[in-house]
Amino acid sequence: MRTKKILALILFCACSILSVKAQYSVQSACEKIRFINLPYEAGKNNLRIQSVGITNPNNVIPDKLYKDFQCTDYVLASSDPELNPILLGKFQVPNSNWIIGAVTFGGATDLQTTYLIVVDKQGNIKSVLESEIQFGLIATKQFRITSDGKVTITKLVPTSSTSVKFYDFNQISAYKVDETYSINSSGIFVKEGEKKYGTKNYSKSQLDTMSNDLWDL
């Protein structure tokens, strides 16, 4: 498991370093990577070895990189070119012309935020959805896409509003939420519903590992 973790980090860092050398338009970036089959789970063990640098036209994609569970302490990726966005994958929405792209900010750092974007054939971004937040191996938000193109966001919501840093905690009280989204005829993410789970104490050993994704906890 440790070997797989190291390999994943090496591959991601290598791709990230290459990506900052060239940032392609949304349309061009989408043309440079292959489609990923659905259904798809963005788990920690799911190595993402394809990537290409992508522009962020008019900053339509938010670029916050979070330092705490409450998402109140953050830096903006636009402040450093080494944190430029990377297109890590694309998915064809069944029975439509829409493409879902997975765009990650953070480069080779521990701070990682991924957004799902809905794109048309001309590379126009129609909708954006924050879908993944990680600090190293600690994930507080992850996504899955079903075979019919619906997106489920699983996230941890702390019970306290007091900032708890990712790098300085032993356990955190939080509850888990599953949010389900579909894409309408205009290419917009539409929230269909959510399911809340009971409050639990999540330990660092549970979260800071390759072994557990949020839907496993």
Side-chain angles (χ1 to χ4, degrees):
M1 186 64 69
R2 182 171 178 81
T3 300
K4 192 171 185 180
K5 170 185 172 182
I6 293 172
L7 176 59
L9 291 173
I10 290 173
L11 286 171
F12 185 81
C13 290
C15 292
S16 299
I17 291 170
L18 288 174
S19 72
V20 299
K21 295 182 179 179
Q23 301 297 114
Y24 296 93
S25 69
V26 175
Q27 184 176 17
S28 295
C30 286
E31 291 172 351
K32 290 181 178 295
I33 63 172
R34 61 177 177 79
F35 281 104
I36 298 175
N37 293 331
L38 297 177
Y40 179 80
E41 289 188 347
K44 296 177 186 177
N45 282 311
N46 199 336
L47 299 184
R48 306 173 204 180
I49 59 175
Q50 60 171 355
S51 68
V52 61
I54 189 171
T55 58
N56 187 11
N58 300 316
N59 292 319
V60 66
I61 310 174
D63 63 347
K64 293 180 179 179
L65 298 169
Y66 301 104
K67 299 180 179 181
D68 65 347
F69 284 90
Q70 286 73 15
C71 296
T72 56
D73 187 7
Y74 57 85
V75 296
L76 298 179
S78 53
S79 65
D80 185 343
E82 300 230 349
L83 306 177
N84 276 341
I86 302 165
L87 181 67
L88 289 179
K90 68 177 181 180
F91 312 87
Q92 180 66 60
V93 180
N95 304 313
S96 79
N97 292 321
W98 306 121
I99 293 172
I100 298 176
V103 178
T104 296
F105 293 85
T109 70
D110 282 334
L111 303 174
Q112 302 287 317
T113 305
T114 298
Y115 295 87
L116 295 181
I117 59 174
V118 180
V119 181
D120 64 17
K121 289 184 176 181
Q122 290 71 45
N124 299 305
I125 297 176
K126 297 296 185 177
S127 187
V128 179
L129 180 64
E130 187 180 80
S131 59
E132 191 173 68
I133 297 172
Q134 282 194 230
F135 179 84
L137 293 178
I138 300 170
T140 61
K141 184 178 285 189
Q142 291 180 283
F143 72 92
R144 291 168 284 178
I145 307 177
T146 63
S147 58
D148 58 356
K150 292 187 178 182
V151 176
T152 297
I153 304 294
T154 302
K155 64 181 182 180
L156 282 185
V157 180
T159 57
S160 172
S161 60
T162 302
S163 177
V164 178
K165 308 299 184 187
F166 290 129
Y167 58 81
D168 186 26
F169 85 103
N170 292 317
Q171 70 174 20
I172 185 165
S173 173
Y175 58 92
K176 192 167 62 173
V177 179
D178 286 341
E179 298 177 338
T180 304
Y181 295 84
S182 60
I183 299 172
N184 66 17
S185 58
S186 299
I188 306 300
F189 282 114
V190 177
K191 186 175 180 179
E192 291 191 340
E194 69 174 33
K195 179 180 179 180
K196 294 182 179 180
Y197 299 83
T199 299
K200 293 172 57 177
N201 287 325
Y202 293 90
S203 67
K204 186 172 184 178
S205 61
Q206 285 180 298
L207 298 177
D208 193 12
T209 175
M210 287 282 282
S211 302
N212 294 330
D213 292 304
L214 290 178
W215 42 81
D216 299 322
L217 298 173

